[in-house]
mmCIF file of all heavy atoms in Angstrom:
data_model
loop_
_atom_site.group_PDB
_atom_site.id
_atom_site.type_symbol
_atom_site.label_atom_id
_atom_site.label_comp_id
_atom_site.label_asym_id
_atom_site.label_seq_id
_atom_site.Cartn_x
_atom_site.Cartn_y
_atom_site.Cartn_z
ATOM 1 N N ALA A 3 102.464 -4.106 -185.610
ATOM 2 C CA ALA A 3 101.371 -3.157 -185.602
ATOM 3 C C ALA A 3 101.109 -2.623 -184.193
ATOM 4 O O ALA A 3 100.959 -1.389 -184.034
ATOM 5 C CB ALA A 3 100.111 -3.804 -186.170
ATOM 6 N N ILE A 4 101.081 -3.495 -183.184
ATOM 7 C CA ILE A 4 100.920 -3.005 -181.838
ATOM 8 C C ILE A 4 102.061 -2.146 -181.422
ATOM 9 O O ILE A 4 101.859 -1.055 -180.861
ATOM 10 C CB ILE A 4 100.688 -4.193 -180.900
ATOM 11 C CG1 ILE A 4 99.399 -4.925 -181.264
ATOM 12 C CG2 ILE A 4 100.656 -3.737 -179.447
ATOM 13 C CD1 ILE A 4 99.172 -6.268 -180.572
ATOM 14 N N ASN A 5 103.294 -2.554 -181.667
ATOM 15 C CA ASN A 5 104.438 -1.724 -181.353
ATOM 16 C C ASN A 5 104.339 -0.325 -182.013
ATOM 17 O O ASN A 5 104.845 0.659 -181.472
ATOM 18 C CB ASN A 5 105.744 -2.373 -181.762
ATOM 19 C CG ASN A 5 106.251 -3.351 -180.723
ATOM 20 O OD1 ASN A 5 106.164 -3.121 -179.524
ATOM 21 N ND2 ASN A 5 106.756 -4.511 -181.142
ATOM 22 N N GLY A 6 103.762 -0.320 -183.175
ATOM 23 C CA GLY A 6 103.638 0.921 -183.943
ATOM 24 C C GLY A 6 102.490 1.839 -183.512
ATOM 25 O O GLY A 6 102.357 2.944 -183.977
ATOM 26 N N GLY A 7 101.629 1.336 -182.627
ATOM 27 C CA GLY A 7 100.569 2.195 -182.089
ATOM 28 C C GLY A 7 99.171 1.665 -182.145
ATOM 29 O O GLY A 7 98.196 2.338 -181.708
ATOM 30 N N VAL A 8 98.938 0.492 -182.681
ATOM 31 C CA VAL A 8 97.617 -0.138 -182.730
ATOM 32 C C VAL A 8 97.242 -0.619 -181.335
ATOM 33 O O VAL A 8 98.063 -1.231 -180.638
ATOM 34 C CB VAL A 8 97.549 -1.318 -183.744
ATOM 35 C CG1 VAL A 8 96.271 -2.047 -183.642
ATOM 36 C CG2 VAL A 8 97.792 -0.763 -185.158
ATOM 37 N N GLY A 9 96.027 -0.375 -180.872
ATOM 38 C CA GLY A 9 95.568 -0.822 -179.608
ATOM 39 C C GLY A 9 95.155 -2.315 -179.645
ATOM 40 O O GLY A 9 94.659 -2.747 -180.726
ATOM 41 N N PHE A 10 95.248 -3.038 -178.569
ATOM 42 C CA PHE A 10 94.834 -4.452 -178.506
ATOM 43 C C PHE A 10 94.121 -4.714 -177.198
ATOM 44 O O PHE A 10 94.684 -4.549 -176.093
ATOM 45 C CB PHE A 10 96.056 -5.345 -178.649
ATOM 46 C CG PHE A 10 95.750 -6.781 -178.609
ATOM 47 C CD1 PHE A 10 94.944 -7.339 -179.632
ATOM 48 C CD2 PHE A 10 96.259 -7.631 -177.618
ATOM 49 C CE1 PHE A 10 94.671 -8.709 -179.610
ATOM 50 C CE2 PHE A 10 95.954 -8.990 -177.640
ATOM 51 C CZ PHE A 10 95.194 -9.556 -178.591
ATOM 52 N N LEU A 11 92.838 -5.041 -177.262
ATOM 53 C CA LEU A 11 92.053 -5.449 -176.133
ATOM 54 C C LEU A 11 91.737 -6.868 -176.218
ATOM 55 O O LEU A 11 91.221 -7.363 -177.247
ATOM 56 C CB LEU A 11 90.695 -4.645 -176.153
ATOM 57 C CG LEU A 11 89.684 -5.022 -175.075
ATOM 58 C CD1 LEU A 11 90.233 -4.918 -173.660
ATOM 59 C CD2 LEU A 11 88.439 -4.156 -175.258
ATOM 60 N N ALA A 12 92.109 -7.646 -175.180
ATOM 61 C CA ALA A 12 91.936 -9.108 -175.192
ATOM 62 C C ALA A 12 91.179 -9.554 -173.947
ATOM 63 O O ALA A 12 91.252 -8.944 -172.881
ATOM 64 C CB ALA A 12 93.280 -9.764 -175.193
ATOM 65 N N PHE A 13 90.396 -10.655 -174.135
ATOM 66 C CA PHE A 13 89.632 -11.242 -173.044
ATOM 67 C C PHE A 13 90.000 -12.684 -172.858
ATOM 68 O O PHE A 13 90.534 -13.356 -173.774
ATOM 69 C CB PHE A 13 88.127 -11.119 -173.330
ATOM 70 C CG PHE A 13 87.653 -9.714 -173.224
ATOM 71 C CD1 PHE A 13 87.725 -8.832 -174.325
ATOM 72 C CD2 PHE A 13 87.210 -9.197 -171.996
ATOM 73 C CE1 PHE A 13 87.273 -7.564 -174.213
ATOM 74 C CE2 PHE A 13 86.764 -7.905 -171.881
ATOM 75 C CZ PHE A 13 86.812 -7.079 -173.043
ATOM 76 N N HIS A 14 89.672 -13.187 -171.696
ATOM 77 C CA HIS A 14 89.729 -14.572 -171.283
ATOM 78 C C HIS A 14 90.746 -15.431 -171.954
ATOM 79 O O HIS A 14 91.907 -15.488 -171.489
ATOM 80 C CB HIS A 14 88.333 -15.144 -171.377
ATOM 81 C CG HIS A 14 88.179 -16.468 -170.701
ATOM 82 N ND1 HIS A 14 88.378 -16.658 -169.353
ATOM 83 C CD2 HIS A 14 87.845 -17.704 -171.209
ATOM 84 C CE1 HIS A 14 88.211 -17.908 -169.052
ATOM 85 N NE2 HIS A 14 87.849 -18.570 -170.136
ATOM 86 N N SER A 15 90.436 -16.095 -173.053
ATOM 87 C CA SER A 15 91.269 -17.129 -173.665
ATOM 88 C C SER A 15 92.483 -16.549 -174.420
ATOM 89 O O SER A 15 93.268 -17.337 -174.932
ATOM 90 C CB SER A 15 90.505 -18.049 -174.562
ATOM 91 O OG SER A 15 89.879 -17.348 -175.610
ATOM 92 N N ALA A 16 92.642 -15.241 -174.490
ATOM 93 C CA ALA A 16 93.752 -14.689 -175.176
ATOM 94 C C ALA A 16 95.109 -15.117 -174.533
ATOM 95 O O ALA A 16 96.103 -15.180 -175.282
ATOM 96 C CB ALA A 16 93.667 -13.153 -175.218
ATOM 97 N N THR A 17 95.087 -15.425 -173.253
ATOM 98 C CA THR A 17 96.331 -15.865 -172.602
ATOM 99 C C THR A 17 96.690 -17.313 -172.936
ATOM 100 O O THR A 17 97.750 -17.767 -172.629
ATOM 101 C CB THR A 17 96.228 -15.698 -171.077
ATOM 102 O OG1 THR A 17 95.101 -16.414 -170.599
ATOM 103 C CG2 THR A 17 96.183 -14.257 -170.683
ATOM 104 N N ASP A 18 95.736 -18.006 -173.602
ATOM 105 C CA ASP A 18 95.940 -19.389 -173.958
ATOM 106 C C ASP A 18 96.150 -19.564 -175.504
ATOM 107 O O ASP A 18 95.924 -20.616 -176.003
ATOM 108 C CB ASP A 18 94.693 -20.205 -173.554
ATOM 109 C CG ASP A 18 94.917 -21.675 -173.573
ATOM 110 O OD1 ASP A 18 96.058 -22.170 -173.539
ATOM 111 O OD2 ASP A 18 93.878 -22.432 -173.672
ATOM 112 N N THR A 19 96.579 -18.517 -176.137
ATOM 113 C CA THR A 19 96.740 -18.518 -177.584
ATOM 114 C C THR A 19 98.065 -19.114 -177.993
ATOM 115 O O THR A 19 98.171 -19.925 -178.921
ATOM 116 C CB THR A 19 96.617 -17.101 -178.134
ATOM 117 O OG1 THR A 19 95.304 -16.594 -177.723
ATOM 118 C CG2 THR A 19 96.696 -17.056 -179.616
ATOM 119 N N TRP A 20 99.203 -18.724 -177.347
ATOM 120 C CA TRP A 20 100.490 -19.336 -177.602
ATOM 121 C C TRP A 20 101.027 -19.802 -176.274
ATOM 122 O O TRP A 20 100.732 -19.281 -175.257
ATOM 123 C CB TRP A 20 101.431 -18.260 -178.216
ATOM 124 C CG TRP A 20 101.316 -18.176 -179.734
ATOM 125 C CD1 TRP A 20 101.921 -18.957 -180.629
ATOM 126 C CD2 TRP A 20 100.498 -17.276 -180.474
ATOM 127 N NE1 TRP A 20 101.540 -18.620 -181.879
ATOM 128 C CE2 TRP A 20 100.685 -17.555 -181.818
ATOM 129 C CE3 TRP A 20 99.660 -16.237 -180.106
ATOM 130 C CZ2 TRP A 20 100.049 -16.811 -182.857
ATOM 131 C CZ3 TRP A 20 99.021 -15.529 -181.141
ATOM 132 C CH2 TRP A 20 99.217 -15.834 -182.472
ATOM 133 N N LYS A 21 101.997 -20.742 -176.416
ATOM 134 C CA LYS A 21 102.585 -21.298 -175.185
ATOM 135 C C LYS A 21 104.127 -21.057 -175.243
ATOM 136 O O LYS A 21 104.732 -21.166 -176.343
ATOM 137 C CB LYS A 21 102.358 -22.827 -175.088
ATOM 138 C CG LYS A 21 100.953 -23.183 -174.992
ATOM 139 C CD LYS A 21 100.414 -22.807 -173.631
ATOM 140 C CE LYS A 21 98.986 -23.358 -173.509
ATOM 141 N NZ LYS A 21 98.300 -22.758 -172.423
ATOM 142 N N THR A 22 104.665 -20.790 -174.067
ATOM 143 C CA THR A 22 106.132 -20.694 -173.912
ATOM 144 C C THR A 22 106.656 -22.096 -173.596
ATOM 145 O O THR A 22 105.988 -22.852 -172.885
ATOM 146 C CB THR A 22 106.444 -19.702 -172.784
ATOM 147 O OG1 THR A 22 105.918 -18.444 -173.105
ATOM 148 C CG2 THR A 22 107.911 -19.606 -172.525
ATOM 149 N N GLU A 23 107.752 -22.460 -174.154
ATOM 150 C CA GLU A 23 108.377 -23.741 -173.871
ATOM 151 C C GLU A 23 108.708 -23.837 -172.397
ATOM 152 O O GLU A 23 109.154 -22.845 -171.804
ATOM 153 C CB GLU A 23 109.589 -24.001 -174.727
ATOM 154 C CG GLU A 23 109.248 -24.231 -176.201
ATOM 155 C CD GLU A 23 110.500 -24.604 -176.972
ATOM 156 O OE1 GLU A 23 111.435 -25.245 -176.407
ATOM 157 O OE2 GLU A 23 110.522 -24.200 -178.159
ATOM 158 N N GLY A 24 108.513 -25.012 -171.812
ATOM 159 C CA GLY A 24 108.841 -25.221 -170.388
ATOM 160 C C GLY A 24 107.677 -25.814 -169.646
ATOM 161 O O GLY A 24 106.584 -25.997 -170.162
ATOM 162 N N ALA A 25 107.948 -26.209 -168.426
ATOM 163 C CA ALA A 25 106.958 -26.822 -167.559
ATOM 164 C C ALA A 25 105.810 -25.881 -167.285
ATOM 165 O O ALA A 25 105.988 -24.699 -167.079
ATOM 166 C CB ALA A 25 107.598 -27.272 -166.236
ATOM 167 N N PRO A 26 104.535 -26.429 -167.306
ATOM 168 C CA PRO A 26 103.394 -25.555 -167.113
ATOM 169 C C PRO A 26 103.385 -24.748 -165.817
ATOM 170 O O PRO A 26 102.954 -23.640 -165.789
ATOM 171 C CB PRO A 26 102.181 -26.558 -167.178
ATOM 172 C CG PRO A 26 102.746 -27.804 -167.717
ATOM 173 C CD PRO A 26 104.203 -27.811 -167.542
ATOM 174 N N TYR A 27 103.840 -25.363 -164.717
ATOM 175 C CA TYR A 27 103.762 -24.670 -163.423
ATOM 176 C C TYR A 27 105.095 -24.100 -163.035
ATOM 177 O O TYR A 27 105.468 -24.052 -161.870
ATOM 178 C CB TYR A 27 103.220 -25.649 -162.372
ATOM 179 C CG TYR A 27 101.721 -25.737 -162.410
ATOM 180 C CD1 TYR A 27 101.124 -26.662 -163.282
ATOM 181 C CD2 TYR A 27 100.929 -24.877 -161.737
ATOM 182 C CE1 TYR A 27 99.728 -26.716 -163.362
ATOM 183 C CE2 TYR A 27 99.513 -24.907 -161.829
ATOM 184 C CZ TYR A 27 98.939 -25.849 -162.661
ATOM 185 O OH TYR A 27 97.591 -25.944 -162.783
ATOM 186 N N GLU A 28 105.836 -23.614 -164.053
ATOM 187 C CA GLU A 28 107.098 -22.884 -163.777
ATOM 188 C C GLU A 28 107.088 -21.604 -164.610
ATOM 189 O O GLU A 28 106.632 -21.618 -165.740
ATOM 190 C CB GLU A 28 108.282 -23.740 -164.180
ATOM 191 C CG GLU A 28 108.546 -24.874 -163.288
ATOM 192 C CD GLU A 28 109.739 -25.736 -163.745
ATOM 193 O OE1 GLU A 28 110.476 -25.319 -164.670
ATOM 194 O OE2 GLU A 28 109.897 -26.836 -163.194
ATOM 195 N N ASN A 29 107.577 -20.523 -164.047
ATOM 196 C CA ASN A 29 107.736 -19.278 -164.830
ATOM 197 C C ASN A 29 109.014 -19.412 -165.647
ATOM 198 O O ASN A 29 109.982 -20.021 -165.205
ATOM 199 C CB ASN A 29 107.858 -18.084 -163.862
ATOM 200 C CG ASN A 29 106.535 -17.832 -163.137
ATOM 201 O OD1 ASN A 29 105.604 -17.368 -163.786
ATOM 202 N ND2 ASN A 29 106.479 -18.045 -161.864
ATOM 203 N N GLN A 30 108.987 -18.839 -166.869
ATOM 204 C CA GLN A 30 110.144 -18.877 -167.718
ATOM 205 C C GLN A 30 110.720 -17.515 -167.936
ATOM 206 O O GLN A 30 109.985 -16.498 -167.874
ATOM 207 C CB GLN A 30 109.760 -19.481 -169.088
ATOM 208 C CG GLN A 30 109.595 -20.996 -169.047
ATOM 209 C CD GLN A 30 108.204 -21.421 -168.604
ATOM 210 O OE1 GLN A 30 107.234 -20.728 -168.773
ATOM 211 N NE2 GLN A 30 108.095 -22.622 -167.983
ATOM 212 N N GLU A 31 111.963 -17.449 -168.220
ATOM 213 C CA GLU A 31 112.661 -16.172 -168.500
ATOM 214 C C GLU A 31 112.332 -15.717 -169.950
ATOM 215 O O GLU A 31 112.066 -14.516 -170.135
ATOM 216 C CB GLU A 31 114.169 -16.305 -168.377
ATOM 217 C CG GLU A 31 114.608 -16.503 -166.917
ATOM 218 C CD GLU A 31 114.400 -15.207 -166.089
ATOM 219 O OE1 GLU A 31 114.654 -14.133 -166.619
ATOM 220 O OE2 GLU A 31 114.043 -15.344 -164.926
ATOM 221 N N ASN A 32 112.390 -16.618 -170.896
ATOM 222 C CA ASN A 32 112.250 -16.276 -172.307
ATOM 223 C C ASN A 32 110.863 -16.675 -172.795
ATOM 224 O O ASN A 32 110.693 -17.808 -173.299
ATOM 225 C CB ASN A 32 113.306 -16.937 -173.164
ATOM 226 C CG ASN A 32 114.688 -16.456 -172.779
ATOM 227 O OD1 ASN A 32 114.909 -15.286 -172.688
ATOM 228 N ND2 ASN A 32 115.600 -17.405 -172.539
ATOM 229 N N VAL A 33 109.926 -15.798 -172.602
ATOM 230 C CA VAL A 33 108.514 -16.127 -172.934
ATOM 231 C C VAL A 33 108.256 -15.806 -174.403
ATOM 232 O O VAL A 33 108.944 -14.977 -175.035
ATOM 233 C CB VAL A 33 107.515 -15.403 -172.032
ATOM 234 C CG1 VAL A 33 107.703 -15.808 -170.587
ATOM 235 C CG2 VAL A 33 107.572 -13.909 -172.214
ATOM 236 N N ASP A 34 107.235 -16.458 -174.940
ATOM 237 C CA ASP A 34 106.806 -16.210 -176.351
ATOM 238 C C ASP A 34 106.590 -14.735 -176.553
ATOM 239 O O ASP A 34 106.018 -14.068 -175.665
ATOM 240 C CB ASP A 34 105.503 -17.048 -176.525
ATOM 241 C CG ASP A 34 104.958 -16.855 -177.951
ATOM 242 O OD1 ASP A 34 104.192 -15.893 -178.187
ATOM 243 O OD2 ASP A 34 105.357 -17.634 -178.823
ATOM 244 N N PRO A 35 106.911 -14.205 -177.701
ATOM 245 C CA PRO A 35 106.733 -12.730 -177.958
ATOM 246 C C PRO A 35 105.306 -12.315 -177.782
ATOM 247 O O PRO A 35 105.021 -11.192 -177.319
ATOM 248 C CB PRO A 35 107.236 -12.579 -179.368
ATOM 249 C CG PRO A 35 108.194 -13.682 -179.591
ATOM 250 C CD PRO A 35 107.668 -14.824 -178.804
ATOM 251 N N TYR A 36 104.311 -13.108 -178.247
ATOM 252 C CA TYR A 36 102.913 -12.715 -178.035
ATOM 253 C C TYR A 36 102.574 -12.663 -176.528
ATOM 254 O O TYR A 36 101.905 -11.670 -176.123
ATOM 255 C CB TYR A 36 101.987 -13.776 -178.726
ATOM 256 C CG TYR A 36 100.560 -13.605 -178.336
ATOM 257 C CD1 TYR A 36 99.745 -12.688 -179.021
ATOM 258 C CD2 TYR A 36 99.984 -14.391 -177.339
ATOM 259 C CE1 TYR A 36 98.408 -12.577 -178.651
ATOM 260 C CE2 TYR A 36 98.662 -14.235 -176.973
ATOM 261 C CZ TYR A 36 97.900 -13.318 -177.646
ATOM 262 O OH TYR A 36 96.565 -13.179 -177.296
ATOM 263 N N ILE A 37 103.034 -13.617 -175.777
ATOM 264 C CA ILE A 37 102.786 -13.597 -174.331
ATOM 265 C C ILE A 37 103.433 -12.386 -173.687
ATOM 266 O O ILE A 37 102.848 -11.718 -172.856
ATOM 267 C CB ILE A 37 103.316 -14.904 -173.692
ATOM 268 C CG1 ILE A 37 102.537 -16.140 -174.214
ATOM 269 C CG2 ILE A 37 103.246 -14.863 -172.139
ATOM 270 C CD1 ILE A 37 101.031 -16.083 -173.953
ATOM 271 N N ARG A 38 104.641 -12.041 -174.107
ATOM 272 C CA ARG A 38 105.335 -10.854 -173.587
ATOM 273 C C ARG A 38 104.474 -9.611 -173.858
ATOM 274 O O ARG A 38 104.321 -8.762 -173.044
ATOM 275 C CB ARG A 38 106.744 -10.733 -174.189
ATOM 276 C CG ARG A 38 107.518 -9.589 -173.639
ATOM 277 C CD ARG A 38 108.918 -9.477 -174.141
ATOM 278 N NE ARG A 38 109.693 -10.652 -173.818
ATOM 279 C CZ ARG A 38 110.099 -11.587 -174.738
ATOM 280 N NH1 ARG A 38 109.865 -11.433 -176.022
ATOM 281 N NH2 ARG A 38 110.797 -12.646 -174.361
ATOM 282 N N MET A 39 103.942 -9.489 -175.110
ATOM 283 C CA MET A 39 103.129 -8.339 -175.471
ATOM 284 C C MET A 39 101.823 -8.295 -174.593
ATOM 285 O O MET A 39 101.463 -7.252 -174.092
ATOM 286 C CB MET A 39 102.723 -8.413 -176.930
ATOM 287 C CG MET A 39 101.832 -7.371 -177.410
ATOM 288 S SD MET A 39 100.046 -7.608 -177.176
ATOM 289 C CE MET A 39 99.731 -9.176 -178.028
ATOM 290 N N LEU A 40 101.228 -9.428 -174.453
ATOM 291 C CA LEU A 40 99.909 -9.504 -173.697
ATOM 292 C C LEU A 40 100.140 -9.266 -172.243
ATOM 293 O O LEU A 40 99.363 -8.515 -171.629
ATOM 294 C CB LEU A 40 99.234 -10.870 -173.958
ATOM 295 C CG LEU A 40 97.855 -11.024 -173.395
ATOM 296 C CD1 LEU A 40 96.901 -9.967 -173.980
ATOM 297 C CD2 LEU A 40 97.333 -12.427 -173.638
ATOM 298 N N GLY A 41 101.136 -9.919 -171.637
ATOM 299 C CA GLY A 41 101.417 -9.647 -170.253
ATOM 300 C C GLY A 41 101.407 -10.873 -169.369
ATOM 301 O O GLY A 41 101.950 -10.832 -168.266
ATOM 302 N N ALA A 42 100.817 -11.979 -169.739
ATOM 303 C CA ALA A 42 100.868 -13.204 -168.950
ATOM 304 C C ALA A 42 100.391 -14.380 -169.787
ATOM 305 O O ALA A 42 99.878 -14.227 -170.924
ATOM 306 C CB ALA A 42 99.940 -13.056 -167.724
ATOM 307 N N GLU A 43 100.523 -15.581 -169.187
ATOM 308 C CA GLU A 43 100.284 -16.855 -169.957
ATOM 309 C C GLU A 43 99.384 -17.776 -169.111
ATOM 310 O O GLU A 43 99.522 -17.949 -167.931
ATOM 311 C CB GLU A 43 101.569 -17.529 -170.231
ATOM 312 C CG GLU A 43 101.445 -18.786 -171.049
ATOM 313 C CD GLU A 43 102.824 -19.276 -171.459
ATOM 314 O OE1 GLU A 43 103.840 -18.606 -171.269
ATOM 315 O OE2 GLU A 43 102.903 -20.425 -171.987
#
């Protein structure tokens, strides 16, 4: 839906909704699709 044109406004805990596999204090190459859409984790 977002890719198709729906807007998404998120606050605070939205970055804590899904987790990418890997160590917490390391950046990963293959991030969760939701995190990729939102912009950070």
Side-chain angles (χ1 to χ4, degrees):
I4 294 170
N5 275 321
V8 171
F10 182 62
L11 172 59
F13 289 88
H14 192 60
S15 61
T17 55
D18 193 20
T19 303
W20 275 275
K21 299 288 185 195
T22 300
E23 290 186 32
Y27 281 87
E28 291 178 9
N29 290 293
Q30 284 83 28
E31 290 290 321
N32 298 312
V33 300
D34 179 271
Y36 168 84
I37 297 299
R38 183 176 300 111
M39 175 277 300
L40 186 60
E43 182 173 352

